[in-house]
Amino acid sequence: MADNPFANLEVDDDVEEEMVAEGAVAEGAKKKKKKKKKKKKTKKELRAGEAADEELAKENEECKKSGLDVALQDKLEVAPLTPEQEEKIEELKKRVEETEGLPLADPYIRVWMADTKPYKRFLIARDWTVDLSYEMLVAAIRWRHEFKPEDIRVKEFEDCLKGGHMYMSIFDKDSHSCIYMRQHTEPDPTPDDVTMRFMLWSFEMAMYRMLRKTNGERTTMTWLVSNAGFAMKYCRSTKFVKELAHNVQNYYPERLHRCFFFYAPAVFRIFWGMIKPFIDKTTKSKFVFVHGTDEAIAKELEEHFNLDELEDHFFGRSPSESWDPDQYWADCQKVELEMIEYRQDRLAQLDKRDKNREKRKKKKKAKSTATAEK
């Protein structure tokens, strides 16, 4: 290795002091520059401008036209069934129950079938076509039996939970459970399969919270997605996005109430164009690209949310900084225990119900036999 030519260089004391001083000034300037880069952008800076607003408005119109009117979808969630719809539900139910080899005795499947109104949801998802709904529901039952989303536990995701990129907080004005999502602005070391399990766990938890709050009346959730700091290099792979879209659309149909996209920069709109083909028309019609002035956005959101509860990053009035990762971790553990206990109690109720039904059947059969013998 060559000797350092500057190793024995002597520097005058005055010059050395001057160099140190200049170095300190330069270092201070660098730090200031770095701080400037890290300065939090305002909502106005995050929004993409008037030209982008026009583009987003067109995208919203395209989404609305692509599927069933969202106002009608909202009504279907709580509307009484028509006689024709009730007949189709009974037909679908009968076909499912008569399917050989279907794991309907699985305790988790029994609770899921009893609590989540799958017949109605899967029929709505397939425009009340029994054959298509049957294929979809049978596939979902088999997937839940094999994948067992109910067995996913919060302890797998402490880093994901505390990272603050996806978390539950409030309910909207119609008691739909809301999930906040924030884009990663740095490389995410979490493997795709762990992220997928975390997202499915979050969906299951959101639906449980909604079930308990509304006693099963509301069955769809709302997503609020912030694209602030979005960069293609931090995106999940197209394969992951396709798998997520497949899981949500096929195994969680009619579970999405609305999906609000905030701060959609040009690069995100390019990404949206890439993933759009993997999203079915009905799901796409529930997507809303938030744009416009602060006042216009707040007015639009106030139709759906209590702005005092909604985080200020999402144009509400609740400080986003008040979210506490450690408290959220503790809350999730508590709610998960409640969910496990609820499923156990619900299964006991179903066992009791089925035994009573069997008793009534036997009693009715015995009565019919006695009548026939007379």
Side-chain angles (χ1 to χ4, degrees):
M1 185 176 173
D3 292 335
N4 183 349
F6 302 104
N8 299 315
L9 183 66
E10 293 183 5
V11 181
D12 184 84
D13 290 345
D14 292 338
V15 174
E16 188 171 6
E17 284 177 15
E18 191 177 333
M19 287 171 68
V20 169
E22 285 178 359
V25 170
E27 190 63 31
K30 278 184 187 176
K31 285 181 180 176
K32 279 185 181 177
K33 201 171 183 182
K34 283 181 182 177
K35 281 183 182 177
K36 196 172 181 182
K37 280 184 180 178
K38 290 181 181 178
K39 184 182 174 184
K40 190 176 177 182
K41 289 186 177 181
T42 64
K43 294 192 187 83
K44 189 174 181 181
E45 288 171 328
L46 285 168
R47 290 202 305 271
E50 290 182 13
D53 282 346
E54 290 179 16
E55 188 181 331
L56 293 174
K58 287 178 184 176
E59 195 63 56
N60 280 338
E61 285 304 311
E62 185 186 325
C63 287
K64 285 178 186 175
K65 289 176 184 176
S66 65
L68 190 65
D69 178 73
V70 286
L72 181 56
Q73 291 178 47
D74 292 347
K75 289 177 183 176
L76 283 172
E77 187 177 6
V78 294
L81 296 168
T82 65
E84 183 183 0
Q85 288 170 343
E86 287 180 348
E87 283 179 18
K88 290 192 173 185
I89 285 176
E90 287 304 313
E91 182 184 348
L92 177 58
K93 186 178 179 182
K94 185 181 178 186
R95 286 185 62 177
V96 168
E97 289 175 349
E98 291 176 351
T99 302
E100 290 186 14
L102 208 55
L104 298 178
D106 180 325
Y108 287 148
I109 299 296
R110 290 179 64 201
V111 172
W112 180 73
M113 296 289 281
D115 283 350
T116 67
K117 303 178 182 177
Y119 298 114
K120 179 182 176 182
R121 288 192 295 107
F122 280 72
L123 279 163
I124 291 173
R126 289 295 177 261
D127 198 23
W128 293 91
T129 305
V130 175
D131 287 345
L132 295 177
S133 304
Y134 169 77
E135 290 175 10
M136 189 184 194
L137 180 51
V138 165
I141 291 170
R142 286 183 172 139
W143 175 81
R144 293 190 75 87
H145 177 67
E146 292 167 10
F147 189 82
K148 300 190 183 302
E150 295 91 347
D151 276 347
I152 302 174
R153 293 291 176 261
V154 66
K155 63 184 179 183
E156 297 178 38
F157 316 114
E158 183 173 0
D159 289 341
C160 294
L161 279 169
K162 291 184 176 181
H165 293 288
M166 184 174 184
Y167 56 96
M168 291 159 282
S169 180
I170 64 172
F171 292 87
D172 67 16
K173 285 186 174 180
D174 290 321
S175 296
H176 298 101
S177 188
C178 298
I179 298 180
Y180 288 122
M181 301 183 192
R182 293 173 183 258
Q183 292 287 351
H184 283 272
T185 54
E186 56 190 22
D188 179 13
T190 312
D192 281 356
D193 61 332
V194 176
T195 299
M196 182 65 71
R197 287 174 67 81
F198 172 57
M199 294 188 80
L200 296 179
W201 175 87
S202 298
F203 297 161
E204 295 285 328
M205 183 69 77
M207 290 180 288
Y208 168 74
R209 292 174 71 237
M210 193 162 46
L211 171 70
R212 301 298 281 163
K213 182 176 176 65
T214 70
N215 198 28
E217 183 179 283
R218 292 295 181 185
T219 57
T220 57
M221 53 190 157
T222 296
W223 300 348
L224 299 103
V225 184
S226 169
N227 295 293
F230 180 90
M232 292 286 277
K233 61 183 176 181
Y234 302 138
C235 288
R236 292 282 168 184
S237 64
T238 306
K239 180 184 175 184
F240 175 86
V241 174
K242 284 173 72 175
E243 185 183 353
L244 178 62
H246 174 82
N247 288 342
V248 171
Q249 290 168 178
N250 291 283
Y251 307 140
Y252 295 87
E254 295 305 308
R255 283 302 200 180
L256 182 62
H257 172 62
R258 291 282 193 288
C259 177
F260 293 92
F261 286 115
F262 296 79
Y263 314 114
V267 67
F268 175 79
R269 299 197 293 280
I270 294 169
F271 179 70
W272 168 249
M274 292 165 58
I275 66 172
K276 214 168 26 172
F278 306 125
I279 302 170
D280 67 49
K281 291 180 178 180
T282 301
T283 304
K284 201 188 302 178
S285 68
K286 300 175 182 181
F287 290 173
V288 179
F289 288 87
V290 177
H291 65 279
T293 64
D294 286 13
E295 294 76 17
I297 291 171
K299 187 176 179 181
E300 179 186 1
L301 294 176
E302 199 164 17
E303 294 178 18
H304 306 279
F305 306 96
N306 179 340
L307 296 186
D308 289 332
E309 297 175 349
L310 189 67
E311 286 190 10
D312 55 10
H313 180 75
F314 297 91
F315 295 86
R317 291 189 281 265
S318 177
S320 297
E321 292 77 12
S322 63
W323 183 77
D324 183 341
D326 292 318
Q327 184 61 52
Y328 183 63
W329 166 246
D331 290 344
C332 284
Q333 290 176 301
K334 181 182 175 183
V335 175
E336 184 178 80
L337 285 174
E338 290 175 6
M339 183 166 62
I340 292 168
E341 289 175 6
Y342 167 80
R343 285 174 177 153
Q344 291 170 344
D345 292 344
R346 190 75 175 101
L347 187 59
Q349 290 174 4
L350 294 174
D351 284 339
K352 187 176 180 181
R353 181 201 67 181
D354 292 347
K355 283 178 183 176
N356 288 335
R357 281 181 178 174
E358 195 60 34
K359 281 181 184 177
R360 286 196 296 269
K361 278 183 185 178
K362 287 180 179 178
K363 193 174 180 181
K364 189 177 179 181
K365 188 177 180 181
K367 191 176 180 181
S368 298
T369 303
T371 304
E373 289 174 353
K374 286 181 181 179

